[in-house]
Structures are given as C-alpha cells and as structure tokens.
Amino acid sequence: MKKIINDPEALVDEAVEGLAAAHPDLVRISLCPRYIVRADAPVSGKVALLSGGGSGHEPLHGGFVGRGMLAAACPGAVFTSPTPDQMLEAGKAIHGGAGIVQIVKNYTGDVMNFDMAADLLRAEGIEVENVLVDDDVAVKDSLYTAGRRGVGLTLAVEKIGGAAAEAGMGLAEVAGLCRRVVANGRSMGVALTACTVPHAGKPSFALAEDEMELGIGIHGEPGRERVKLEPADRIAELLLGPIIEDLPFERDDRVLLFVNGMGGTPLIELYALYRKAAEIAAAHGLEVERRLVGSYVTSLEMAGASITLLRLDDEMIRLWDAPVVTPALRWGA
Amino acid sequence: MKKIINDPEALVDEAVEGLAAAHPDLVRISLCPRYIVRADAPVSGKVALLSGGGSGHEPLHGGFVGRGMLAAACPGAVFTSPTPDQMLEAGKAIHGGAGIVQIVKNYTGDVMNFDMAADLLRAEGIEVENVLVDDDVAVKDSLYTAGRRGVGLTLAVEKIGGAAAEAGMGLAEVAGLCRRVVANGRSMGVALTACTVPHAGKPSFALAEDEMELGIGIHGEPGRERVKLEPADRIAELLLGPIIEDLPFERDDRVLLFVNGMGGTPLIELYALYRKAAEIAAAHGLEVERRLVGSYVTSLEMAGASITLLRLDDEMIRLWDAPVVTPALRWGA
Amino acid sequence: MREALDRDAILAWLALAADRLEAEKANLSELDRPIGDGDHGVNMARGFAAVRAKLAAEQPADPAAVLKAAAMVLLSTVGGASGPLYATLLLQAAGKATGKPSLSTADWADCLAAGLAGIVQRGKAAVGDKTMVDALDPAVRALDARRDQPLAAALAASAEAAREGMAATVPLVARKGRASYLGERSAGHQDPGATSSHLLLQALAETAARS
Amino acid sequence: MREALDRDAILAWLALAADRLEAEKANLSELDRPIGDGDHGVNMARGFAAVRAKLAAEQPADPAAVLKAAAMVLLSTVGGASGPLYATLLLQAAGKATGKPSLSTADWADCLAAGLAGIVQRGKAAVGDKTMVDALDPAVRALDARRDQPLAAALAASAEAAREGMAATVPLVARKGRASYLGERSAGHQDPGATSSHLLLQALAETAARS
Ligand SMILES: Nc1ncnc2c1ncn2[C@@H]1O[C@H](COP(=O)(O)OP(=O)(O)O)[C@@H](O)[C@H]1O
Ligand SMILES: Nc1ncnc2c1ncn2[C@@H]1O[C@H](COP(=O)(O)OP(=O)(O)O)[C@@H](O)[C@H]1O
Ligand SMILES: [Mg+2]
Ligand SMILES: [Mg+2]
Ligand SMILES: [Mg+2]
Ligand SMILES: [Mg+2]
C-alpha cells in the first residue's frame, strides 16, 4: 500500500502538527508527551472528557477535540494505545476542577494504560472516572476473550458525554450518562481490504478479490469470519442483523443510525449502504431519530464500513443535538 | 477494486436516495430526472446556485446542497456529466425569481450539457449565468487543449457564491463574485493509485508500487507525468510549486489553503501533508487566513490528494465564514 | 437492398446500432480508458438502449420524427461529451429530413452534412483534433461525392471512409475533449468517439444493404 | 561467568536486549500480524531503545534503580498491552532488589517471581491463555528450582524453560489480549509476547554467561 508519508515513525507527530496548524482556533497540542487539547482548556468548573487510543482511526479522537465534545485526546503510535504519561499531562492541562472522565475503548492495552493513567491523575488529586466502550458485537463477550471491542459507538459516547460536560453536569452524572450510551449501543464492521501499518509496510491480512472479512475491528485485526463478497444490501443485513439481535433493539425503539467508513471506502458507497440500513431499521420497527454517515472511526486506508445503532432517550437526543465545534464534527455553532 | 455496491448501474440512484434518507432536514431529491435540492427550495427572491457533474466526486456536489451553498446539484453517471433535462427540472424547482447561476467544471461534456441546459432554462423565462471553474494548473490552458480542468476550487466557488446568494446579492453580482474566485484560485493533484469506475470493473490506469501520477484530474484520467513516489513533504512541494507560480501568488497574499483527499487517502496522511503545505505557503510569505483539510472533491476510492490555493479578499473571507448548513460542509449554524 | 431510407429503415438502423453498441460496450470504454475516463461505451450503450425502448413505445411518423425523437433521448441519457454531440447530429439531420417520407442518397448526404456541421459548431473541433469529427468528416465527403449513386453502395463507401478516418486518429495528438489533457501522451491510441461514429455509419450501411 | 547480577550486569542485559529486539523487530511484529495488530516488535524495539538511551544518560546507583528507571521508560514509550506489563515486571523486580548491590540466583528468582505476579495481577492471564505468562511462568519455576545453583546455569535453564513455554503457545487458543478476538482462529500461531519474554530471558542468560 502506498502512502503520502515521510518517515513512518514521524507520521503521527506530523499529523498532530498538521491538525494544530489547520485548526488553530479549535485546538492546542503538545508533542512530548503527545496530546491535543481544546484551545480554551482548562474550562473551569466543568467536567473534562479525555480520550485517546492508537492512531490510524482519524478523525477519532483528535478530530473530536473542541467545544461540546472532548477536552483532550492522546494519540498513541499507529494502532498502539497511548501511554500513561500522555494522559497524565493532558489531564493536568484540561482539569477545570470538576474531574475528568476517561473514555477508553476496550482493548487490553488501552485499558491497562488508562488504568495506570487514572492512578497517576488521582495521585495529583484529580477525580477520575473511566468509561469503557465495548460495542462490537462481532466479539463474544465471555470469560474467554478480552471482552467486546470498542469501535464506532465511541463517537456517540464522546459527543453525548461532551455535551453533558459542556452543559455543566457533574462527574458522576457525565460518567453515568456515558455508560448509559455504552449500554444502549452496538456496532459491527466489515473489511473489503486490509490496511497497512506504516512501519510494518505490508497489509495486516490478505483478502482475495471475492472475499470480505466480517466482524473486523479497527486495528487491522482479522475479523470473526471470512466470507464471499456480498452486494451492499446484503452487507447491510449481515451487519445490522447481529446488532439488532444482540441488544436487542425492539420495535418503536428510537435510534441513532451511524454508517461509518473504514477509511478507504468512498462516500458514494457509504450512502448507498445507509439507504439499505435505514430500510432494514424501519422494517424492524425502529424509529431512526438521528443519523450520521461518513468516515469517522477508521482503520487507516482500509476499505470497508461499520454500522452502529444506539437506542436514544430524550436526554441523549437533546445532547446529541447540542452544539459541537470540533475539526471533524460540527453543528449548532 | 472491491466495492460495497449492488448493481453498478444503480449505485448513483441508491447513493442519492441514501443522501436524502440521511439528511431529510437538509435536502429533497428527484430520481427522474435525477437531482438534489435544498429542503426549503425555492427560496423566493434569492439567486439560486445550481451545479452538478459526474458522480464519484462525493461529497461534491450533492453534499454541498443546503442553506448557504448550493440550491441544487445534478449528479450524472459516475464520471459522466449530467444531462440538460436534469438541470432544467432542478432549475425549475429552485428558481426563486432572481435567476440561477450554474457552476460548471470545465470539461467538454459538462460545458456542452450545461450550455444546453442554460438554453432550455432561458426558454422557460429564467435568467441564467454560467460560471466555468478551471483551476487545475496541471493542464496547460492553450488552444491545443480543452482548457484547464475544474477540480478542488469548485468547493470554494460553491461556498462563497452560495453565501453571496444567501446574502441576497443579485444575479450579476453573484456570478461576478464566483468568477473572481475562479480567477484567484489554482489547484493541482497527485494520485498514488488509480480508481475503478464501477461499471468498468478495472482500474483506469496502472501505477507501479513505487510510482505516482502527478497532475491527475478527478475522473481517473492519467495525469501530466508519471514520477517516482516521493515523501509527503516533497509531494507538497511538487503540488504547491506550480500552483504558486501559475497565478502567481505573491508575498503577503492572504489565502485559503485547502488540502483535499482523493477518496482513498486517510485523514492522518492529509494532515501530515497539510503541515508541510502550510510551511511552504509561509515560506513564500503567504498569509494562510483560512484552511480546509479533508476528502471533499474526490475520485471514487483513488489514493492521492490535491492542494488548492485561493487568494482571498475581505468580501471572500466574510462569505467563506458565513453560515453553511449542508450534509458535508457545516458551520456557523 | 434498399433504394432509400424510409421510417422503417431509420428505425432498423437505430435498433441495429443499439445491438452493436451493446456488443462493443466494453471495447469502446476500453478505448476511452487510456486517453479519457473509460465510460464511452457505457454512455453510448445506455443511450441507444433508451432510444430503442422509446421508439418501440411510440412509433414516429417519418424519418425526421424518428431522428428527432432519438436525438432527444440521447440528450437525456448519454451525458458526457458524446451525448450532446450525437444528439446534435441527429437533430440537425432531422431538420434536413423534415417533410420527406423517405431519404434518397442525396437527401441523406445533406442530412449527415448538416449533422456534422452541428457537431463542429458545438464542439469547435477541426479535422485532426482526434475526435469523432475525424471519422464523420471523410464520411460526409465520401457520401457527397456519391449523391447520385445507389444508396447501399454510397453508404458502404461512407462507412469505409469513416473507418479510415477512425484508424487515422491513432497517431494524432488530441486537441479537444479529455484526451487533450494528455498532450503528446494521447498519441498512439484510437479515439473512442471516432470509433463509435464509424460503428453507427457501418450499422446504417448494413441496414441499407439488407433487403 | 558472573556469580551475581550487579548494576553493570543489569545494564549490560538491557543493552543486549535492546540490540536483540531491534534485530528481531520485524519478526516479532510479523508474529503479531495474524493474531494481533502487527506492532509488537516495533513497540518493544522503540521502548528498549529508549531505555538504553535513558540509562546511558543517567547511570543509576544499583540494580533496583536501574530496573525502576527502565520500567518508567517502558511505561512511557511502549504503549499497547506489553508496555504496562513489562513495566510492571521490572517495577516489581526492582522492589525485591531494593537495597541489594548485586543479586544472587536466589535474589533474582524472587525478583522474577514478583515481576510475574505483578503481570498476572494487572493482566489477569493464567497459564494457557496464550500470553507472555506462558513463557514467564515456567521460567520462574525453573529458576526457583535452582535457587542454590550458579547464576549462569540457573539463568540458562530458566531461558530454556521460557523457550519451551513460548513454543507451547502455538497450539493454544488465546483467551487474553487481541488474539482472543479470533477465538479458534488464534490457534496455530506463536504468541508474540511470549516470544519477546523468551528473548529477554535469553539475553539475560547470555549476559550472565559472559565473563
Ligand atoms: N469538442 C469535441 N468535438 C467533437 N467531439 C468531441 C469533442 N470532445 C470530445 N469529443 C468526442 O467525445 C468522445 C468522448 O466521449 P465520452 O467518453 O462519452 O464523453 P466524456 O469524454 O465526457 O467521458 C471523444 O472520444 C471524442 O471523439
Ligand atoms: N492480559 C494479558 N496478560 C498478559 N499478557 C498479555 C495480556 N494481553 C496481551 N498480552 C501480551 O501482549 C502481547 C501483545 O503485545 P503488543 O502487541 O505490544 O500490544 P497490543 O496487543 O496492544 O498491540 C501478546 O502477544 C500477549 O503476550
Ligand atoms: Mg497495538
Ligand atoms: Mg465521462
Ligand atoms: Mg469518456
Ligand atoms: Mg500488537
């Protein structure tokens, strides 16, 4: 896979510098340790949302830093969780006196590093709540796995949790709300091509021209099963079916339907996929109250898509609609 | 190239239906003839911007329909200009009594079809101004070519022209302003991979692992020259150099710097590219007043990027900053 | 062997052209890939399939009506550069055919000449620019030189002239259309539009040759 | 042949480990590709290169100080799952080493045991879950059984035990870490972390064997 890149080791720092250069009004950055904070941080008296994870999922998380969403994001190396020192410094930079909620995607590495970071922040006298996002139904949540992975739903947790923090809700309330979003959301993804980690130089797995990988994560990990490439409408069924069953979503549930691109799939295909996904949701009696289509939680240049369904309540809808001003997600202001 | 797709012939209609389903608050559509109009069209007393072109460049143009930008977009088949009957019906649907400005990317097919559309609309008693966008410096503008192609700058013409129309400016003023944007903007692109037209089924050209195509258009046409793949920083120089020379841009010019992805290149690479582009602009004494980074004027799943530079004046800046509420571009409201 | 082109002959021609374009779809698009955007065959096949459907639905009265109806369908279904151009060709031809129940060799020579003039006026291409004009222009001249000959022979000659003009586009450097963006690199490829023009005139010649 | 691990021996070990990880970088990442995310080698090489640089800059006083300094560097440079885990290993080992100018076989057996305990506490992995624990656990037991033997021989035995544990991960189905997402499909691949654990203990054995 060819990339627009200098030294692979420098890619993440260069992208973070580019983000700062492109959005001076929205974000500030530090390179050692590496973090991105909203330009007006710390916002005193308000809870601050901190997230992060391996790089390669852009715009997640750095593109979601700004008013109404994340106060800080800590980008690790590509597909590698950030380290505790990053969260410690970012946390100090954004703490406004009302505590910090760490949004953590459920991967062993992320969990361990954010746990250690929470210990370090508490040692600084900062109250910290960790929220684990584990929405990927492709992974069975059992004693025999590291648990479900955190994927597309992360965006909704950060948007709704960020709006709650902006609205002045307390630490426990914001964390509780984020956990409610996690409890009501499910996702599943498919890959048509693998992606290539820059420093690795070759694809993380190989797919034949007529194959697709069902139930992939967002780190180029292989998925749940390899199947024949199917038409878009069938792919929508293969993704939404398990999602709806898992929660389960039921008739008259009001939902957010989020069709997400993995990075290499163009918008024209995502909208065609959304069309069928909305049709299926309607056929199940779900009321699609809010929608999002685009490449927001990606896996480098991987071709593929994921679908996220979130059961909404009035409070979530109000907070989803609240103003957000970030590099990648913006409305209401 | 593998795609999330049903019948290639149905892709464009399905994507347009998906767009409508995903943004019912912003747009309305028609399928025969095929067009997308802002939900509140016609806006009486205001000039209406109409654009369109081959599909496969999403979010251009359909994603830019809405308040403060396009009143209508007419999507043709993939990489094939729309037909006059589409513009005729879309034009009738958006005409608010103050005339229509057609934004036309300079390709023989688009020019001919929009010219015929203008004749048909005038026959309906509607005043029409056509604005040709031809910003691609990769093509020499001479008697021996069809003239420079319209590429990335189109977004700026539609944003600034749309804001002018929203502000109530007259037909001649809006068209004049659009032409001023065209006169002050230049672009150039590079491809790392070719793209595959769905119904064609195979890539439009072949690039070796160590090659890139410099000066490509947005229809999978081959570019100006095939060169060795270069690092991101060098690519920024290869694109910006000819752009700056061509206008030419001069010290203290205030500019919009737009780094655009071709569809298959992830955001992390685009931001790394932006970083160097901004550095080069500064080194030339240009004042980067406004910025945009993302995949907005694409070529299906092609990996690559383009850079657009627009010399701004106070009026353009005010109109660029004006509220825009469309599926793909949104701020200020 | 037909003596003149009546309504049914024009209908038969357009139907045969639709078949041939469907059969040649991939090849025409293939020609358009290296020097264009790879869609010419698809555009033409889509358009003529629509023409066939339209003409099957409503049976126009005379040659002019058939040509005009076909032109309007092409205009709204082909798109690209070739759509307006071929629509213009048929529209101008229809103009010349107006009022005539059937077209003699000389009549058709005038129709085709008018069609070519329309294309040149809209597209501003000259012979040698590596466009459909390079196939149409010699065809028009061949036909004009045979105004008084039997239809089938004259049309065969004009199709042959188009074939030569088509082949002659290979070495040319394009000055119009997408291919012109390639400059020198456009040489060495046969122009797709010239190829479809020959296909259309070849189909007409064959139609006339049939009894 | 060293009798005990003094400060210089620990420094020499970590330096050798950095070399070996740099040399094995591609292979370790390659192991991580089919059942993980293909970055283990890069993560480890990056971390230990930083450890080497750090220890070259400031020369800590004793084994405990060296181990602690290395742990903090790994914590902030490796990331992923292996970063906190190896950091914990060295941190716990440092705790046991505190106050000792040099470590006997028995001392090191206690250090490594404490380190493993820390990893298990943080990662909740049991033997057989296809993780680094499968290499470290047998190494700890081999060492404990040789508390009174000469250092070099004991470390060689523990490295060998780690090698066997590493090899034994191949048929296992992963229950922890990314590989667990694959379920049955994780069988048939050697665990990258178990492999890097063996590499580290092998480097220590070689360090001790050198005079
Ligand atoms: N200005 C022009 N005059 C005459 N013919 C032209 C002109 N521009 C393009 N063509 C013809 O159109 C053909 C391309 O048609 P097509 O591929 O369907 O449209 P597009 O180039 O818009 O994709 C070219 O091969 C050429 O013969
Ligand atoms: N819960 C755990 N306990 C012990 N070791 C683990 C655990 N999870 C993962 N590991 C080890 O970490 C290794 C992967 O490390 P690495 O690839 O650097 O991190 P990541 O999986 O975050 O990319 C695995 O091969 C395994 O040996
Ligand atoms: Mg990793
Ligand atoms: Mg075309
Ligand atoms: Mg074409
Ligand atoms: Mg890994």
Side-chain angles (χ1 to χ4, degrees):
Chain A
M1 182 60 203
K2 295 147 76 176
K3 298 176 185 294
I4 298 178
I5 187 177
N6 298 309
D7 168 12
E9 301 295 334
L11 175 61
V12 175
D13 277 345
E14 290 176 350
V16 169
E17 287 182 312
L19 184 76
H23 307 283
D25 50 326
L26 302 181
V27 304
R28 278 189 347 252
I29 63 167
S30 155
L31 286 184
C32 26
R34 185 166 53 216
Y35 61 78
I36 299 154
V37 297
R38 55 188 279 181
D40 59 354
V43 180
S44 89
K46 290 188 178 178
V47 171
L49 253 64
L50 189 166
S51 191
S55 290
H57 308 305
E58 292 68 26
L60 183 82
H61 300 271
F64 299 145
V65 172
R67 179 151 70 85
M69 209 159 170
L70 294 178
C74 298
V78 172
F79 293 169
T80 299
S81 68
T83 54
D85 55 310
Q86 292 174 265
M87 281 72 92
L88 172 61
E89 293 310 317
K92 286 196 266 176
I94 59 175
H95 185 234
I100 291 176
V101 173
Q102 293 195 122
I103 310 292
V104 185
K105 302 196 297 303
N106 187 37
Y107 298 93
T108 304
D110 295 64
V111 172
M112 290 180 183
N113 283 282
F114 276 90
D115 280 350
M116 285 193 149
D119 296 344
L120 297 173
L121 284 165
R122 293 190 185 105
E124 299 281 326
I126 298 175
E127 276 190 287
V128 181
E129 285 275 351
N130 280 7
V131 173
L132 274 193
V133 184
D134 62 345
D135 52 312
D136 187 354
V137 301
V139 174
K140 264 170 244 24
D141 185 11
S142 77
L143 282 174
Y144 304 106
T145 68
R148 287 194 312 247
R149 298 174 294 214
V151 288
L153 184 65
T154 312
L155 177 149
V157 176
E158 294 177 356
K159 170 64 184 83
I160 291 172
E166 202 70 54
M169 286 172 63
L171 183 60
E173 289 171 287
V174 174
L177 181 65
C178 290
R179 295 190 182 106
R180 200 162 87 226
V181 173
V182 171
N184 287 280
R186 294 291 186 274
S187 304
M188 185 158 159
V190 63
L192 274 60
T193 66
C195 57
T196 301
V197 176
H199 47 247
K202 53 172 121 123
S204 45
F205 55 85
L207 278 173
E209 262 308 302
D210 64 342
E211 291 177 331
M212 63 183 188
E213 189 84 14
L214 199 59
I216 40 103
I218 54 176
H219 299 84
E221 315 99 309
R224 183 156 74 175
E225 50 174 339
R226 186 159 302 187
V227 299
K228 286 280 162 229
L229 181 58
E230 298 276 357
D233 287 358
R234 178 70 185 137
I235 288 175
E237 288 165 356
L238 289 171
L239 295 181
L240 263 179
I243 289 172
I244 291 173
E245 262 174 38
D246 190 277
L247 191 62
F249 289 87
E250 283 152 356
R251 328 210 102 266
D252 303 331
D253 279 349
R254 293 176 301 164
V255 298
L256 161 71
L257 174 55
F258 171 28
V259 168
N260 174 63
M262 300 306 296
T265 288
L267 210 44
I268 189 171
E269 294 175 34
L270 295 180
Y271 274 115
L273 183 63
Y274 179 87
R275 171 186 162 280
K276 182 63 178 184
E279 210 173 277
I280 296 169
H284 280 76
L286 306 183
E287 288 178 20
V288 179
E289 289 270 345
R290 294 296 182 271
R291 312 145 189 90
L292 189 65
V293 179
S295 294
Y296 291 104
V297 180
T298 64
S299 191
L300 293 172
E301 74 285 348
M302 174 182 278
S306 68
I307 296 181
T308 296
L309 215 49
L310 167 62
R311 177 164 46 203
L312 297 164
D313 55 39
D314 293 337
E315 185 177 35
M316 289 188 210
I317 292 177
R318 207 180 64 250
L319 293 167
W320 175 264
D321 292 344
V324 58
V325 185
T326 70
L329 213 60
R330 180 161 185 167
W331 59 68
Chain B
M1 182 60 200
K2 295 146 77 178
K3 299 177 184 294
I4 299 179
I5 188 177
N6 298 310
D7 167 11
E9 301 295 333
L11 174 61
V12 175
D13 277 345
E14 289 176 351
V16 169
E17 286 181 312
L19 183 76
H23 308 283
D25 50 327
L26 302 181
V27 304
R28 279 189 346 253
I29 63 167
S30 154
L31 286 185
C32 27
R34 186 165 54 214
Y35 61 79
I36 300 154
V37 297
R38 54 189 282 181
D40 59 355
V43 181
S44 91
K46 289 188 178 177
V47 170
L49 254 64
L50 188 166
S51 190
S55 290
H57 308 305
E58 293 67 25
L60 184 81
H61 300 270
F64 299 146
V65 172
R67 180 151 68 85
M69 208 158 169
L70 294 178
C74 298
V78 171
F79 292 169
T80 298
S81 68
T83 54
D85 55 310
Q86 293 175 262
M87 281 73 92
L88 171 62
E89 292 310 316
K92 286 195 264 176
I94 59 174
H95 185 234
I100 291 176
V101 174
Q102 292 196 122
I103 310 292
V104 186
K105 302 197 296 303
N106 186 37
Y107 298 93
T108 304
D110 295 65
V111 172
M112 291 180 183
N113 284 280
F114 276 90
D115 279 351
M116 285 195 150
D119 296 344
L120 297 174
L121 284 166
R122 292 188 186 108
E124 299 282 326
I126 299 176
E127 277 189 286
V128 180
E129 285 274 351
N130 280 7
V131 173
L132 273 195
V133 183
D134 62 346
D135 52 313
D136 187 353
V137 301
V139 174
K140 266 174 237 23
D141 186 10
S142 76
L143 282 174
Y144 303 107
T145 67
R148 286 194 313 246
R149 298 174 293 213
V151 288
L153 184 66
T154 313
L155 178 149
V157 176
E158 294 178 357
K159 169 64 184 82
I160 292 173
E166 201 71 53
M169 285 171 62
L171 182 62
E173 290 171 287
V174 173
L177 181 65
C178 290
R179 295 191 182 106
R180 200 163 87 225
V181 173
V182 171
N184 286 279
R186 295 291 186 272
S187 304
M188 185 156 158
V190 64
L192 275 61
T193 67
C195 57
T196 300
V197 177
H199 47 248
K202 52 172 121 122
S204 45
F205 55 87
L207 277 173
E209 263 307 302
D210 65 342
E211 291 177 331
M212 63 182 187
E213 187 86 13
L214 199 59
I216 40 104
I218 54 176
H219 299 84
E221 317 99 309
R224 183 157 75 174
E225 50 175 340
R226 185 159 303 186
V227 299
K228 287 279 163 230
L229 181 59
E230 298 277 357
D233 287 359
R234 179 69 185 138
I235 289 175
E237 288 164 356
L238 289 171
L239 296 181
L240 263 178
I243 289 172
I244 292 173
E245 263 174 39
D246 190 277
L247 192 62
F249 289 87
E250 283 152 356
R251 324 206 110 268
D252 303 330
D253 279 350
R254 294 177 301 164
V255 298
L256 161 72
L257 175 55
F258 171 28
V259 169
N260 174 63
M262 300 305 298
T265 289
L267 210 45
I268 189 171
E269 295 175 33
L270 295 180
Y271 274 115
L273 183 62
Y274 179 87
R275 171 186 161 279
K276 182 64 178 181
E279 211 173 276
I280 296 170
H284 280 76
L286 306 183
E287 287 178 19
V288 179
E289 289 271 345
R290 294 296 182 273
R291 311 146 188 90
L292 189 66
V293 179
S295 294
Y296 291 104
V297 180
T298 64
S299 191
L300 293 171
E301 74 286 349
M302 174 182 279
S306 68
I307 297 181
T308 296
L309 215 49
L310 167 62
R311 176 163 47 202
L312 297 163
D313 54 40
D314 293 337
E315 184 176 36
M316 288 188 210
I317 292 177
R318 207 180 62 249
L319 293 167
W320 175 263
D321 291 343
V324 57
V325 184
T326 71
L329 213 60
R330 181 161 185 167
W331 58 68
Chain C
M1 303 263 285
R2 299 176 187 272
E3 294 315 317
L5 296 167
D6 59 9
R7 190 199 74 146
D8 294 348
I10 302 289
L11 288 171
W13 167 39
L14 296 172
L16 180 61
D19 292 340
R20 293 288 163 80
L21 284 166
E22 184 56 39
E24 289 300 307
K25 184 158 113 179
N27 297 334
L28 284 171
S29 287
E30 188 58 48
L31 286 175
D32 194 32
R33 195 164 294 119
I35 59 173
D37 57 358
D39 63 359
H40 186 58
V42 179
N43 297 347
M44 294 295 288
R46 182 180 57 236
F48 276 79
V51 166
R52 187 218 304 268
K54 172 83 166 188
L55 295 178
E58 52 184 65
Q59 295 270 331
D62 58 18
V66 175
L67 292 167
K68 183 156 188 303
M72 296 320 290
V73 173
L74 291 183
L75 194 59
S76 63
T77 54
V78 177
S82 51
L85 291 169
Y86 280 123
T88 301
L89 173 83
L90 298 187
L91 217 49
Q92 296 302 323
K96 285 287 177 193
T98 308
K100 300 200 166 74
S102 87
L103 309 172
S104 67
T105 303
D107 293 333
W108 179 248
D110 295 339
C111 289
L112 197 63
L116 173 60
I119 285 180
V120 170
Q121 191 199 15
R122 183 159 292 285
K124 312 274 179 303
V127 172
D129 286 353
K130 197 180 184 98
T131 70
M132 54 177 68
V133 170
D134 293 319
L136 294 172
D137 184 82
V140 165
R141 283 192 278 95
L143 203 56
D144 194 53
R146 294 169 177 71
R147 304 178 66 86
D148 311 324
Q149 293 185 16
L151 184 71
L155 289 182
S158 81
E160 174 54 22
R163 202 192 55 65
E164 283 160 17
M166 163 190 89
T169 62
V170 174
L172 297 176
V173 170
R175 297 226 188 84
K176 283 280 182 287
R178 272 181 214 297
S180 68
Y181 302 139
L182 290 177
E184 300 297 328
R185 288 167 77 190
S186 62
H189 299 278
Q190 180 168 306
D191 178 64
T195 310
S196 56
S197 289
H198 164 258
L199 181 151
L200 293 174
L201 295 180
Q202 177 63 30
L204 180 60
E206 291 179 33
T207 306
R210 294 179 185 173
S211 58
Chain D
M1 303 261 287
R2 298 175 187 272
E3 295 311 320
L5 296 167
D6 59 11
R7 191 200 74 150
D8 293 348
I10 303 289
L11 287 172
W13 167 38
L14 296 171
L16 180 60
D19 292 339
R20 293 290 162 80
L21 285 164
E22 182 57 38
E24 290 299 307
K25 183 158 121 180
N27 297 335
L28 284 171
S29 287
E30 188 60 48
L31 286 174
D32 194 32
R33 195 164 294 118
I35 59 172
D37 57 359
D39 62 358
H40 186 58
V42 179
N43 297 346
M44 294 296 286
R46 182 178 58 236
F48 275 79
V51 166
R52 186 218 305 268
K54 172 84 166 188
L55 295 177
E58 51 183 66
Q59 294 270 330
D62 58 17
V66 174
L67 292 167
K68 182 157 189 302
M72 297 320 291
V73 173
L74 290 184
L75 194 60
S76 64
T77 54
V78 177
S82 51
L85 291 169
Y86 280 122
T88 300
L89 174 83
L90 297 187
L91 218 49
Q92 296 301 322
K96 286 285 175 194
T98 308
K100 301 200 167 72
S102 88
L103 309 172
S104 67
T105 303
D107 293 334
W108 178 248
D110 295 337
C111 289
L112 196 63
L116 172 60
I119 284 179
V120 170
Q121 192 200 15
R122 184 160 292 285
K124 311 274 178 305
V127 171
D129 285 353
K130 198 182 184 100
T131 70
M132 54 177 67
V133 170
D134 293 319
L136 294 171
D137 184 81
V140 164
R141 284 191 278 96
L143 203 56
D144 194 53
R146 294 170 175 73
R147 303 178 65 85
D148 312 324
Q149 292 184 15
L151 184 70
L155 290 182
S158 82
E160 174 55 20
R163 202 191 55 65
E164 285 160 16
M166 163 190 87
T169 62
V170 174
L172 297 176
V173 170
R175 296 226 190 83
K176 284 278 182 286
R178 270 182 217 296
S180 67
Y181 302 139
L182 290 177
E184 300 298 327
R185 288 168 76 189
S186 62
H189 300 277
Q190 181 168 306
D191 179 63
T195 309
S196 56
S197 288
H198 164 257
L199 181 151
L200 292 174
L201 295 180
Q202 177 62 32
L204 180 60
E206 290 179 33
T207 306
R210 294 179 185 172
S211 59

